[in-house]
Amino acid sequence: MSDEAPSRAKWLILPVVIFGALSILFAVQLLRGPKTTLPSTMIGKAAPDFTLPPLAGIARDGVPLPGLSKADLTGPVTLVNIFASWCAPCREEHPKLLELSKDARIKLVGINYKDEPDNARRFLGALGNPYAAIGTDQAGRAAIEWGVYGVPETFVISRNGNIAYKHVGPITDEALKGALGEAVTKAASEN
Protein backbone atom coordinates (compact mmCIF):
# COMPACT_ATOMS: atom_id res chain seq x y z
CA MET A 1 0.00 0.00 0.00
CA SER A 2 2.89 2.34 0.67
CA ASP A 3 4.18 1.72 -2.91
CA GLU A 4 0.84 2.91 -4.32
CA ALA A 5 0.98 6.25 -2.47
CA PRO A 6 3.99 7.69 -4.39
CA SER A 7 2.49 6.47 -7.69
CA ARG A 8 -0.87 8.10 -6.89
CA ALA A 9 0.88 11.32 -5.84
CA LYS A 10 2.61 11.49 -9.24
CA TRP A 11 -0.76 11.32 -11.00
CA LEU A 12 -2.22 14.00 -8.75
CA ILE A 13 0.68 16.37 -9.48
CA LEU A 14 0.32 16.04 -13.27
CA PRO A 15 -2.85 18.22 -13.53
CA VAL A 16 -1.20 20.88 -11.36
CA VAL A 17 1.87 20.91 -13.63
CA ILE A 18 -0.29 21.15 -16.77
CA PHE A 19 -2.35 23.95 -15.25
CA GLY A 20 0.81 25.83 -14.30
CA ALA A 21 2.27 25.49 -17.79
CA LEU A 22 -0.94 26.72 -19.41
CA SER A 23 -1.11 29.64 -16.98
CA ILE A 24 2.41 30.70 -17.93
CA LEU A 25 1.57 30.42 -21.65
CA PHE A 26 -1.57 32.57 -21.24
CA ALA A 27 0.33 35.14 -19.17
CA VAL A 28 3.01 35.46 -21.86
CA GLN A 29 0.33 35.99 -24.53
CA LEU A 30 -1.43 38.63 -22.42
CA LEU A 31 1.80 40.51 -21.77
CA ARG A 32 2.50 40.72 -25.48
CA GLY A 33 -0.55 42.98 -25.78
CA PRO A 34 -3.42 42.88 -28.22
CA LYS A 35 -2.83 42.04 -31.83
CA THR A 36 -3.78 45.17 -33.74
CA THR A 37 -4.03 43.64 -37.19
CA LEU A 38 -5.61 40.46 -38.33
CA PRO A 39 -4.19 38.87 -41.44
CA SER A 40 -6.26 39.13 -44.57
CA THR A 41 -5.54 37.04 -47.62
CA MET A 42 -7.55 39.53 -49.66
CA ILE A 43 -5.13 42.47 -49.46
CA GLY A 44 -4.03 43.35 -52.98
CA LYS A 45 -6.79 41.25 -54.55
CA ALA A 46 -10.01 42.36 -56.21
CA ALA A 47 -12.99 42.97 -53.97
CA PRO A 48 -15.35 39.99 -53.93
CA ASP A 49 -18.22 39.78 -56.38
CA PHE A 50 -21.41 40.82 -54.60
CA THR A 51 -24.69 42.65 -55.14
CA LEU A 52 -26.70 43.88 -52.16
CA PRO A 53 -30.10 45.60 -52.14
CA PRO A 54 -30.43 49.10 -50.68
CA LEU A 55 -31.55 49.88 -47.16
CA ALA A 56 -35.00 51.16 -48.09
CA GLY A 57 -36.11 54.44 -46.58
CA ILE A 58 -32.65 56.01 -46.29
CA ALA A 59 -31.85 59.08 -48.35
CA ARG A 60 -28.99 61.55 -48.63
CA ASP A 61 -29.67 65.08 -49.78
CA GLY A 62 -33.24 64.00 -50.57
CA VAL A 63 -32.17 61.18 -52.90
CA PRO A 64 -32.78 57.53 -51.91
CA LEU A 65 -29.52 55.70 -51.36
CA PRO A 66 -28.66 52.90 -53.75
CA GLY A 67 -27.64 49.39 -52.78
CA LEU A 68 -24.09 48.25 -53.26
CA SER A 69 -22.22 45.96 -55.64
CA LYS A 70 -18.68 45.26 -56.76
CA ALA A 71 -19.20 47.58 -59.74
CA ASP A 72 -19.56 50.51 -57.31
CA LEU A 73 -16.02 50.02 -55.99
CA THR A 74 -14.01 51.38 -58.92
CA GLY A 75 -13.22 55.02 -59.64
CA PRO A 76 -12.69 56.96 -56.44
CA VAL A 77 -10.98 55.42 -53.42
CA THR A 78 -13.79 53.73 -51.49
CA LEU A 79 -14.10 52.87 -47.83
CA VAL A 80 -16.44 49.94 -47.26
CA ASN A 81 -17.66 49.99 -43.66
CA ILE A 82 -19.39 46.89 -42.25
CA PHE A 83 -21.81 48.00 -39.53
CA ALA A 84 -24.94 47.04 -37.58
CA SER A 85 -27.31 48.89 -35.27
CA TRP A 86 -26.80 46.24 -32.55
CA CYS A 87 -23.02 46.79 -32.57
CA ALA A 88 -21.80 49.03 -29.71
CA PRO A 89 -18.39 49.74 -31.32
CA CYS A 90 -20.25 50.81 -34.49
CA ARG A 91 -21.99 53.51 -32.46
CA GLU A 92 -18.60 54.49 -31.01
CA GLU A 93 -16.99 54.94 -34.45
CA HIS A 94 -19.94 56.73 -36.05
CA PRO A 95 -18.70 60.31 -35.42
CA LYS A 96 -15.47 59.39 -37.25
CA LEU A 97 -17.50 58.06 -40.18
CA LEU A 98 -19.41 61.34 -40.36
CA GLU A 99 -16.04 63.16 -40.54
CA LEU A 100 -14.74 60.75 -43.20
CA SER A 101 -17.85 61.28 -45.32
CA LYS A 102 -16.66 64.89 -45.83
CA ASP A 103 -13.23 63.80 -47.12
CA ALA A 104 -13.23 64.60 -50.85
CA ARG A 105 -10.56 61.93 -51.53
CA ILE A 106 -12.90 59.04 -50.71
CA LYS A 107 -16.36 57.62 -51.15
CA LEU A 108 -17.75 56.02 -47.97
CA VAL A 109 -20.22 53.17 -48.40
CA GLY A 110 -21.73 50.76 -45.91
CA ILE A 111 -22.76 47.14 -45.65
CA ASN A 112 -25.46 46.70 -43.03
CA TYR A 113 -24.65 43.31 -41.50
CA LYS A 114 -27.29 40.92 -40.09
CA ASP A 115 -29.54 43.77 -39.05
CA GLU A 116 -33.26 44.47 -39.07
CA PRO A 117 -33.99 47.27 -41.57
CA ASP A 118 -36.11 49.24 -39.06
CA ASN A 119 -33.30 49.10 -36.50
CA ALA A 120 -30.73 50.22 -39.09
CA ARG A 121 -32.96 53.14 -40.16
CA ARG A 122 -33.41 54.22 -36.53
CA PHE A 123 -29.64 53.93 -35.93
CA LEU A 124 -28.82 56.16 -38.92
CA GLY A 125 -31.73 58.48 -38.17
CA ALA A 126 -30.44 59.09 -34.65
CA LEU A 127 -26.72 59.34 -35.47
CA GLY A 128 -26.72 60.65 -39.04
CA ASN A 129 -25.99 58.98 -42.36
CA PRO A 130 -22.36 59.13 -43.52
CA TYR A 131 -22.82 56.70 -46.42
CA ALA A 132 -23.14 57.35 -50.17
CA ALA A 133 -24.63 53.86 -50.60
CA ILE A 134 -25.75 51.09 -48.25
CA GLY A 135 -26.15 47.44 -49.12
CA THR A 136 -28.09 45.20 -46.75
CA ASP A 137 -26.58 41.83 -45.90
CA GLN A 138 -29.22 40.30 -43.63
CA ALA A 139 -28.02 36.73 -44.15
CA GLY A 140 -24.33 37.63 -43.71
CA ARG A 141 -23.26 35.93 -46.96
CA ALA A 142 -21.50 38.98 -48.42
CA ALA A 143 -19.58 39.49 -45.17
CA ILE A 144 -18.30 35.93 -45.44
CA GLU A 145 -17.06 36.68 -48.97
CA TRP A 146 -15.23 39.73 -47.61
CA GLY A 147 -13.62 37.65 -44.85
CA VAL A 148 -15.26 39.66 -42.08
CA TYR A 149 -14.44 38.55 -38.52
CA GLY A 150 -17.00 40.81 -36.85
CA VAL A 151 -18.35 44.33 -36.89
CA PRO A 152 -17.22 46.97 -37.37
CA GLU A 153 -14.66 46.40 -40.07
CA THR A 154 -13.57 48.83 -42.77
CA PHE A 155 -11.88 48.10 -46.07
CA VAL A 156 -9.91 50.60 -48.15
CA ILE A 157 -10.56 49.91 -51.83
CA SER A 158 -8.14 51.36 -54.36
CA ARG A 159 -9.33 53.08 -57.55
CA ASN A 160 -9.05 49.83 -59.51
CA GLY A 161 -11.31 47.90 -57.10
CA ASN A 162 -8.59 46.06 -55.20
CA ILE A 163 -8.56 45.76 -51.42
CA ALA A 164 -5.68 47.91 -50.19
CA TYR A 165 -6.22 47.63 -46.43
CA LYS A 166 -8.48 46.07 -43.82
CA HIS A 167 -9.17 47.76 -40.49
CA VAL A 168 -10.74 45.61 -37.76
CA GLY A 169 -12.64 47.37 -34.99
CA PRO A 170 -13.95 50.88 -34.59
CA ILE A 171 -12.29 53.74 -36.45
CA THR A 172 -10.50 56.00 -33.97
CA ASP A 173 -8.28 59.08 -34.15
CA GLU A 174 -5.29 56.76 -33.65
CA ALA A 175 -6.33 54.57 -36.60
CA LEU A 176 -6.80 57.62 -38.82
CA LYS A 177 -3.35 58.92 -37.84
CA GLY A 178 -1.86 55.44 -38.24
CA ALA A 179 -2.19 52.58 -40.69
CA LEU A 180 -5.77 53.29 -41.81
CA GLY A 181 -5.02 56.92 -42.60
CA GLU A 182 -1.80 55.93 -44.36
CA ALA A 183 -3.67 53.37 -46.49
CA VAL A 184 -6.24 56.00 -47.53
CA THR A 185 -3.52 58.50 -48.40
CA LYS A 186 -1.54 55.93 -50.37
CA ALA A 187 -4.61 54.71 -52.29
CA ALA A 188 -5.70 58.29 -53.03
CA SER A 189 -2.24 59.19 -54.40
CA GLU A 190 -2.09 56.21 -56.80
CA ASN A 191 -3.29 56.63 -60.36
Side-chain angles (χ1 to χ4, degrees):
M1 201 153 148
S2 62
D3 289 334
E4 289 180 25
S7 178
R8 191 175 302 163
K10 288 179 188 177
W11 286 108
L12 292 176
I13 292 175
L14 184 62
V16 173
V17 170
I18 291 172
F19 178 77
L22 287 173
S23 296
I24 291 169
L25 178 66
F26 290 139
V28 167
Q29 291 297 322
L30 283 174
L31 292 175
R32 284 186 179 175
K35 191 170 185 178
T36 57
T37 58
L38 293 173
S40 177
T41 59
M42 299 182 70
I43 303 298
K45 296 181 182 173
D49 193 21
F50 71 103
T51 301
L52 296 172
L55 178 59
I58 296 293
R60 189 170 185 183
D61 301 325
V63 178
L65 286 188
L68 192 60
S69 70
K70 180 178 179 173
D72 300 316
L73 304 181
T74 56
V77 173
T78 306
L79 263 62
V80 179
N81 178 253
I82 317 294
F83 76 100
S85 65
W86 47 262
C87 162
C90 296
R91 185 172 294 272
E92 177 185 322
E93 81 172 348
H94 207 79
K96 294 296 167 207
L97 294 175
L98 291 168
E99 286 177 28
L100 282 169
S101 70
K102 297 172 187 164
D103 188 334
R105 301 174 302 162
I106 62 169
K107 175 173 72 171
L108 177 61
V109 299
I111 295 178
N112 185 231
Y113 175 72
K114 290 188 174 184
D115 207 352
E116 291 298 322
D118 286 340
N119 294 341
R121 283 189 285 274
R122 277 192 293 276
F123 177 82
L124 294 171
L127 300 177
N129 174 30
Y131 304 110
I134 300 173
T136 58
D137 186 21
Q138 283 189 290
R141 296 297 309 158
I144 291 170
E145 296 297 321
W146 281 87
V148 170
Y149 292 96
V151 289
E153 288 189 17
T154 304
F155 295 83
V156 177
I157 310 299
S158 63
R159 297 177 193 280
N160 64 2
N162 287 342
I163 298 172
Y165 182 76
K166 177 181 180 178
H167 177 77
V168 177
I171 295 173
T172 61
D173 284 330
E174 292 78 22
L176 290 173
K177 291 175 186 170
L180 176 60
E182 291 168 8
V184 169
T185 299
K186 182 179 177 188
S189 67
E190 293 175 350
N191 290 334

